[in-house]
Amino acid sequence: MRLTTTEFPCTDSDKHDVEGMNRGLLFRQLFEKTSSTYTYILGCQKTREAIIIDPVKETAPRDAKLLNELGLSLRWALNTHVHADHITGTGALKQLIPGVKSVIYKAGGARADHLIEHGDVIQFGGEEIEVRATPGHTNSCVTYVHHGGRMAFTGDALLIRACGRTDFQEGCPQRLYKSVWEQILSLPEDYSIFVGHNYEGIEQTSVAEEKKFNPRLTKSEEEFVHIMKNLNLSYPKQIDRALPANLVDGELEEKHEA
């Protein structure tokens, strides 16, 4: 499936590399401090159409304001998976910006305007991203790959020198190991990787770096499974609030005691 919104592509002259990304692409990386979530805005310089990846409900007004300041028309609001650590901002952005459509992977069982599958392509102006299913952290996990900019947005499947936990929400270490190696670390080594979270302030990594330095995924599958089954992580702080809302596009009304 190909999700499109326009028939006016960027010209070839807009696609020469600038600082590691193509000139046709406008790119912003944003941060939400409570859950240490990274949100990404990608826009076509020619048509001004844009997408946003992993927005957070509390920072949706900030994101809408920035999109307006940059003169971007938001078309797609994407999630990399059904989050357990924050409420997605897709529902809030649909209220703030008329015409925005939410997107999530079909296998996760969550509600969205468009349910995508492995191999789908999402187009915004003359730019496009490929959808790669990367389950293992959750069933709903996908990685969005922008080949023109040599960039991959991995959500929680692959983190910087780490990976998403596999001890809840359909987690499976064997599936995660296979997903990361077959769908992410199989990309060319110069591809930049932009993750869903980082708790040390590191903004990005690369395929080459993670193949060399990731302390979990550089191990054999058997060793990886043993590591993941013995992390002894604490219960996610916001899961009881976030998970029900994220199954309905972040639009679940919160109940308040009288």
Side-chain angles (χ1 to χ4, degrees):
M1 180 176 67
R2 179 180 290 267
L3 300 185
T4 62
T5 58
T6 183
E7 299 297 329
F8 300 98
C10 296
T11 64
D12 289 341
S13 63
D14 291 316
K15 295 187 176 179
H16 299 295
D17 285 349
V18 175
E19 297 180 355
M21 286 175 265
N22 61 356
R23 189 178 299 166
L25 185 72
L26 187 153
F27 175 72
R28 293 291 185 273
Q29 182 177 27
L30 307 171
F31 186 69
E32 191 279 318
K33 62 182 180 180
T34 300
S35 59
S36 297
T37 296
Y38 284 123
T39 295
Y40 302 97
I41 293 173
L42 288 75
C44 175
Q45 294 275 25
K46 182 73 172 181
T47 67
R48 312 309 293 177
E49 289 191 345
I51 63 171
I52 191 167
I53 299 173
D54 284 344
V56 177
K57 180 180 180 180
E58 286 77 9
T59 48
R62 173 204 66 186
D63 301 342
K65 181 175 183 288
L66 179 58
L67 286 157
N68 182 62
E69 291 173 344
L70 295 175
L72 295 174
S73 176
L74 184 63
R75 291 293 178 255
W76 308 112
L78 291 68
N79 282 300
T80 54
H81 62 294
V82 179
H83 305 280
D85 50 18
H86 67 270
I87 295 179
T88 178
T90 53
L93 284 169
K94 289 197 293 183
Q95 297 297 317
L96 293 167
I97 306 174
V100 175
K101 302 296 183 182
S102 58
V103 177
I104 201 165
Y105 186 47
K106 183 178 182 180
R111 189 180 76 192
D113 297 314
H114 289 283
L115 301 178
I116 51 174
E117 299 186 58
H118 177 77
D120 285 351
V121 173
I122 300 171
Q123 186 174 355
F124 50 106
E127 304 294 330
E128 62 182 34
I129 57 171
E130 175 196 358
V131 177
R132 294 192 173 197
T134 48
H137 171 58
T138 74
N139 284 343
S140 60
C141 286
V142 296
T143 289
Y144 297 112
V145 182
H146 185 277
H147 291 287
R150 308 186 77 76
M151 309 158 75
F153 300 87
T154 60
D156 291 6
L158 176 62
L159 301 172
I160 298 171
R161 311 298 190 264
C163 62
R165 61 194 294 176
T166 58
D167 59 333
F168 73 101
Q169 203 182 352
E170 314 110 17
C172 175
Q174 291 90 345
R175 287 189 81 189
L176 183 59
Y177 189 87
K178 181 178 180 180
S179 292
V180 171
W181 275 104
E182 291 186 358
Q183 301 299 332
I184 303 174
L185 297 182
S186 62
L187 290 165
E189 292 193 344
D190 66 325
Y191 270 49
S192 296
I193 293 174
F194 295 90
V195 300
H197 306 276
N198 187 263
Y199 307 99
E200 298 178 359
I202 304 174
E203 295 181 347
Q204 67 182 81
T205 181
S206 69
V207 171
E209 285 180 55
E210 295 309 313
K211 287 173 71 173
K212 184 175 182 180
F213 300 118
N214 192 296
R216 300 176 187 176
L217 287 152
T218 50
K219 303 293 193 295
S220 69
E221 181 177 341
E222 182 179 0
E223 292 173 302
F224 176 80
V225 171
H226 177 77
I227 290 170
M228 298 306 293
K229 288 185 175 181
N230 291 277
L231 292 178
N232 298 315
L233 299 172
S234 59
Y235 189 72
K237 293 179 180 179
Q238 297 196 63
I239 187 171
D240 294 329
R241 168 179 178 259
L243 192 54
N246 291 333
L247 289 170
V248 291
D249 213 0
E251 296 178 335
L252 184 69
E253 293 185 4
E254 297 184 20
K255 295 181 180 180
H256 300 277
E257 295 184 2

